[in-house]
């Protein structure tokens, strides 16, 4: 069996050898510089303990690493069009920006061209690339709990304004005078299925999502708006309990989570989410069956939408809902993760 450590050892050996057979197989993030590189990068190689390996470049971007200017891990420079080069430069100059079609117009570039060429070159759209860079800066502060000046400098900002923009676009500002402001704490957690972000108030967990989930930024923004809240990195007894239970869950020794949860949704959504928590580990149900259980047998489409709106992954097990034909159907964390979770739970029920 290949262990995580043996995988790291192997990838590091290939990095030292600059083995071109591993191009695209893994990417390396250098913790001391915040730089993302290819396996064949000509730069001086870091010590193993300063390396973090990723299966995709997008995962590395979400973990706050920025592309190396020497090996340019996100592209083959000789094949990039002038338009795409311009867009990459524009993002790197302002990674905190939330791009719109108007920004393309200012650069005299067609939004459709940007989407098409980025997808072809990088395997992700321009918006996904920009989002990953923006979230990466914000989440770096959360994951490492660094003083803001350190996170700012590692992010490549000479001024604190740019970094604060990148962070607060996602996490919200903290007004100096705010008597009615709610305060949430957040923490970056590593799990066997990838990085996740947890957000809690004093009483309960309010969000727990994979950091690469599509729409995560919007979820956090909605959370802040509904609660008139700011989100800051921090510790909480909620996180301590969550981490202990997650460890037990992934080891196969826990079947019911006790971490307190606060639902943020309509009464109908909350009804659906409470019913999800009643599905025994190792079991599955369909949207139609779930609709019947809550007394609305014809509302299976609404149930499906509520299922997709769940913001507390794993603990509120929306992954246990499948199609009536047995198909896995959608999952915010990705079908591969859903299949892994169901197999894991079936084997440990």
């Amino acid at each position: 069996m290949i262990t995580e450590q043996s995988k790291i050892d192997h990838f590091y050996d290939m990095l030292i050898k600059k083995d071109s057979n591993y191009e695209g197989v893994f990417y390396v993030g250098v913790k001391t510089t915040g730089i993302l590189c290819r396996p064949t990068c000509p730069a001086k190689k870091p010590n193993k303990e300063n390396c973090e390996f990723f299966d995709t470049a997008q995962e590395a971007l979400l973990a706050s690493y920025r592309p190396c200017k020497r090996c340019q891990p996100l592209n083959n420079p000789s094949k990039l069009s002038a338009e795409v080069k311009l867009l990459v430069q524009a993002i790197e100059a302002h990674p905190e920006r939330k791009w719109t079609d108007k920004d393309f117009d200012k650069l005299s570039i067609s939004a459709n061209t940007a989407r098409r060429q980025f997808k072809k070159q990088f395997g992700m759209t321009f918006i996904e690339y920009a989002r990953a860079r923006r979230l990466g800066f914000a989440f770096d502060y959360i994951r490492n709990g660094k003083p803001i000046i350190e996170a700012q400098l590692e992010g490549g900002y000479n001024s604190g304004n740019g970094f604060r923009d990148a962070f607060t676009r996602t996490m919200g500002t903290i007004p100096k005078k705010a008597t009615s402001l709610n305060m949430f704490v957040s923490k970056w957690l590593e799990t066997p299925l990838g990085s996740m972000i947890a957000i809690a108030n004093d009483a309960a967990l309010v969000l727990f999502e994979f950091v690469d989930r599509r729409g995560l930024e919007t979820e956090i923004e909605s959370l802040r708006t509904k609660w008139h809240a700011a989100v800051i990195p921090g510790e909480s007894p909620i996180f301590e309990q969550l981490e202990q239970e997650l460890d037990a869950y992934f080891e196969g020794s826990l079947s019911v989570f006790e971490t307190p949860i606060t639902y943020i949704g309509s009464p109908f959504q909350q009804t659906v989410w409470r019913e999800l928590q009643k599905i025994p580990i190792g079991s599955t149900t369909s949207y139609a069956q779930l609709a019947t259980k809550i007394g609305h047998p014809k509302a299976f489409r609404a149930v499906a939408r509520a299922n997709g709106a769940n913001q507390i992954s794993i603990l509120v097990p929306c992954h246990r809902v499948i199609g009536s034909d047995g198909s896995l159907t959608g999952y915010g964390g990705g079908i591969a993760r859903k299949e892994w979770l169901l197999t894991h739970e079936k084997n440990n029920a």
Side-chain angles (χ1 to χ4, degrees):
M1 179 179 177
I2 299 177
T3 65
E4 186 63 25
Q5 186 58 51
S6 64
K7 180 179 177 182
I8 291 172
D9 293 341
H10 180 64
F11 281 174
Y12 186 74
D13 288 343
M14 296 305 101
L15 178 68
I16 296 298
K17 294 177 182 178
K18 302 178 185 177
D19 193 326
S20 61
N21 290 322
Y22 284 79
E23 280 287 340
V25 174
F26 72 83
Y27 297 83
V28 61
V30 184
K31 298 176 184 178
T32 50
T33 62
I35 299 294
L36 164 65
C37 294
R38 298 173 181 271
T40 56
C41 183
K44 181 181 177 180
K45 301 306 179 187
N47 293 330
K48 187 188 297 185
E49 62 268 22
N50 293 326
C51 292
E52 190 171 6
F53 295 97
F54 301 90
D55 293 330
T56 68
Q58 190 169 16
E59 289 178 5
L61 290 171
L62 284 166
S64 82
Y65 292 100
R66 62 188 186 277
C68 173
K69 292 182 179 179
R70 295 188 67 181
C71 67
Q72 301 187 47
L74 298 181
N75 61 72
N76 183 340
S78 64
K79 295 182 180 180
L80 285 184
S81 67
E83 290 83 0
V84 173
K85 287 182 181 179
L86 179 61
L87 289 174
V88 171
Q89 292 167 1
I91 290 182
E92 292 309 311
H94 299 284
E96 76 283 357
R97 176 178 293 170
K98 195 167 186 177
W99 288 78
T100 67
D101 286 352
K102 290 182 179 179
D103 293 306
F104 295 125
D105 294 339
K106 292 177 182 178
L107 293 172
S108 300
I109 294 176
S110 163
N112 289 333
T113 297
R115 294 188 186 102
R116 184 176 63 253
Q117 293 192 10
F118 254 80
K119 186 69 174 179
K120 181 179 179 180
Q121 285 288 337
F122 304 148
M124 69 181 93
T125 66
F126 174 82
I127 297 299
E128 288 172 337
Y129 175 95
R131 172 183 173 273
R133 293 291 284 127
R134 189 169 62 252
L135 285 176
F137 283 114
F139 288 158
D140 179 64
Y141 189 40
I142 293 170
R143 181 174 67 159
N144 298 309
K146 299 175 181 177
I148 193 166
I149 185 63
E150 289 185 23
Q152 167 202 320
L153 294 175
E154 286 197 15
Y157 291 99
N158 294 323
S159 142
N161 293 335
F163 177 78
R164 286 184 175 85
D165 283 347
F167 184 77
T168 58
R169 277 179 186 273
T170 300
M171 297 303 164
T173 57
I174 305 175
K176 293 182 179 178
K177 296 180 180 179
T179 57
S180 61
L181 184 72
N182 288 302
M183 194 70 69
F184 290 166
V185 289
S186 57
K187 186 172 184 179
W188 179 293
L189 301 177
E190 299 295 347
T191 77
L193 290 181
S195 303
M196 301 185 75
I197 182 171
I199 298 178
N201 58 20
D202 291 338
L205 185 70
V206 297
L207 183 144
F208 186 52
E209 292 279 24
F210 292 100
V211 298
D212 57 1
R213 175 185 167 100
R214 190 171 184 176
L216 175 59
E217 191 172 5
T218 301
E219 287 186 19
I220 296 174
E221 183 177 351
S222 176
L223 180 72
R224 290 194 291 106
T225 301
K226 288 179 180 178
W227 286 72
H228 183 52
V231 183
I232 62 171
E235 291 292 342
S236 164
I238 301 296
F239 296 152
E240 292 179 14
Q241 182 174 356
L242 174 63
E243 289 183 273
Q244 290 173 2
E245 292 188 344
L246 283 173
D247 287 343
Y249 170 81
F250 283 111
E251 288 171 0
S253 60
L254 182 141
S255 58
V256 178
F257 286 89
E258 301 289 345
T259 299
I261 289 172
T262 291
Y263 296 120
I264 301 175
S266 69
F268 180 83
Q269 287 176 323
Q270 293 186 39
T271 298
V272 172
W273 299 336
R274 280 192 289 269
E275 195 63 37
L276 287 174
Q277 289 191 283
K278 296 177 183 178
I279 305 173
I281 191 169
S283 302
T284 58
T285 191
S286 69
Y287 296 115
Q289 290 171 329
L290 195 60
T292 299
K293 288 179 181 178
I294 65 172
H296 297 280
K298 295 183 179 180
F300 57 89
R301 289 188 178 86
V303 165
R305 288 193 295 271
N307 198 64
N310 171 39
Q311 294 183 332
I312 303 179
S313 295
I314 302 178
L315 283 72
V316 178
C318 54
H319 59 274
R320 294 177 192 166
V321 183
I322 61 176
S324 297
D325 60 355
S327 60
L328 292 185
T329 67
Y331 180 59
I335 294 297
R337 285 184 177 130
K338 181 170 185 171
E339 184 175 14
W340 190 98
L341 288 167
L342 291 176
T343 301
H344 171 72
E345 292 179 350
K346 184 176 181 181
N347 290 339
N348 292 284

